[in-house]
Amino acid sequence: MADPLATVRCDACPVMCNIRPGLTGACDRYANSAGELVRVDPLVLLESTLAQGGPLVAFQSEPDWDGRLVRGADTFVTAIGAGTTYPDYKPAPFIVSTEVDGVDMVTVVTEGVFSYCGVKVKIDTDRHLGAERALVRAQGEPVGHVTTGEYGSQMLSLGGVGHLTGGTKKEGRVTCETLLALSNAQAVELTIDDGATVIVQAGAAPIVNGVAETKMRVGCGSATIGIFAPQWLGKVDEVVVVDDHITGVLSEHQAGKLLDIPPTGIRMRGRRSTPGRYFQVAHPGTGWGGTDISDPLSILDPFDPKHARPGLRMLMVSTTGEHSAYYELDEALRPVARPFPSVLTDSVARISENCEPALCSVVFIGGAGGSLRAGVTDNPVRLTQSVSHGVTRLTCGGAPVYLWPGGGITFMVDVTRLPENAFGYVPTPALVAPIEFTMPLAQYAAMGGYMDHVRPAASLDPAAPHRRLSAAPDNPWPLTPLIAP
Ligand code: SF4
């Protein structure tokens, strides 16, 4: 019987907190309840049946429920709320067996402590957020950097062991806080050196310098010409799709050539790549097409009189259709703004229509190839091999992961596919992420698993604090064997 007034020592991570009665440890995950060390958050169970019309919603018990914590192969024990073990050679907190279609399966469940982890953030926006390699800061501390942009998106690489452990104590703490908030799909304000301030939240539109982004570009300027060229034929003589990366010019582009659009004498600034495709027409910014311009004519040189003629009609538009303007050449072959003709309205609206909603995506990346494996088996490389050979299924809070090829177990997971608040932290500093390894029981025995710690899932204590959720219908059911028995 525990002494209810005793201080208890938590040994779930290297911090080894001494916790007084009624209080929690430094990470708020463990508490002293009347002299007993308890995990504060309930164990999360996923139910596969009766998908109730939405992802990860609270599960409604069936009337004939027999009271068991786990019903069988329809219930998956996630690592959320399962707890951690330290040092790593201790068997994982839950090693549970379940019969699935006549096959004995085992799931090893633990909350892993990740010093080697981070998030990759994809921000759907044309607007320039910062130069590649520029530092990204939270609360003034460096927490990551801008990495290579992708199609229609700016990318950030945040966290990692360098920021968690290699800087000042404050840098490590703020990095950990930032990763935790982003992984739990909370909003975080980030500032980029010599760039923008952006509020990022997984699954929500980015807010760049106080303005909510709405659209993700249909394509680069060249692609936009390639998609819409036939829709401009006969309605306008020239189209320029302004883009910080690849500005497209209809009359010079192969799409225009195939439609027999004649030269217009247009002359672009920037560097010509291939016909009708120009790089560096301006500087990056938050104006037209991710450039710094507000006047599109600033990217043109005077028209060539050999091909240009007074009255020539020209549309200039951005890659999202957010900006557009119409011009006609005057007698001196200078473009003069004219009222936007209704005949072109539909084509600009079509560009906008083809833009998807701008969102932020947050993908957690962690390395489970280290000491965490020792809680699964006394021969860790066997686990690595089993995962890479597709025998053991790795899930994160029941959500599917992408496994990196090569050595170790480096995985990525879309944080919106996990139940809410699935991630935690310890002040070492490091992130705590739920992780489950599911495999046939025979394979577990063969890899040197802790067979004397395997217990039937149905025997778990129904009085244990727990939370039932219906599994997200678009997540594969994690208990399904990856290979035929
Ligand atoms: S930080 Fe949390 S897990 Fe680590 S010893 Fe303290 S209470 Fe336990």
Side-chain angles (χ1 to χ4, degrees), residues 124-144:
D124 302 335
T125 181
D126 256 6
R127 284 171 237 285
H128 179 72
L129 301 181
E132 269 177 37
R133 305 187 302 278
L135 278 179
V136 178
R137 295 177 188 272
Q139 302 171 44
E141 293 295 317
V143 298

Side-chain angles (χ1 to χ4, degrees), residues 122-170:
K122 171 173 167 284
I123 301 171
D124 302 335
T125 181
D126 256 6
R127 284 171 237 285
H128 179 72
L129 301 181
E132 269 177 37
R133 305 187 302 278
L135 278 179
V136 178
R137 295 177 188 272
Q139 302 171 44
E141 293 295 317
V143 298
H145 63 273
V146 178
T147 187
T148 46
E150 301 300 342
Y151 205 97
S153 310
Q154 315 277 324
M155 305 290 291
L156 309 181
S157 180
L158 307 182
V161 70
H163 288 288
L164 282 169
T165 71
T168 63
K169 191 169 178 183
K170 187 176 179 198

Side-chain angles (χ1 to χ4, degrees), residues 260-277:
D260 292 328
I261 292 176
T264 59
I266 194 167
R267 285 198 292 216
M268 301 292 301
R269 296 189 177 159
R271 179 159 71 81
R272 186 170 176 269
S273 161
T274 54
R277 301 170 73 254

Side-chain angles (χ1 to χ4, degrees), residues 10-17 19 24-31 37 84 425-427:
C10 177
D11 61 355
C13 93
V15 178
M16 307 291 275
C17 296
I19 311 174
T24 59
C27 65
D28 291 334
R29 296 165 55 241
Y30 284 89
L37 182 69
T84 34
Y425 83 103
V426 291

Side-chain angles (χ1 to χ4, degrees), residues 217-252:
R217 61 165 56 185
V218 61
C220 68
S222 170
T224 308
I225 293 281
I227 296 168
F228 297 104
Q231 300 184 32
W232 288 314
L233 187 62
K235 297 174 183 164
V236 68
D237 302 304
E238 185 63 279
V239 178
V240 178
V241 182
V242 181
D243 175 12
D244 175 42
H245 307 129
I246 309 171
T247 289
V249 178
L250 177 65
S251 65
E252 298 179 1

Side-chain angles (χ1 to χ4, degrees), residues 49-50 59-68 71:
T49 54
L50 309 177
F59 183 79
Q60 305 294 315
S61 298
E62 293 167 67
D64 58 352
W65 192 270
D66 67 2
R68 279 179 296 156
R71 294 190 303 169

Side-chain angles (χ1 to χ4, degrees), residues 184-216:
N184 282 333
Q186 294 163 3
V188 171
E189 181 176 287
L190 302 169
T191 55
I192 296 167
D193 283 5
D194 299 319
T197 296
V198 56
I199 296 176
V200 171
Q201 181 174 19
I207 300 172
V208 181
N209 293 336
V211 179
E213 190 62 276
T214 56
K215 290 187 168 60
M216 179 182 184

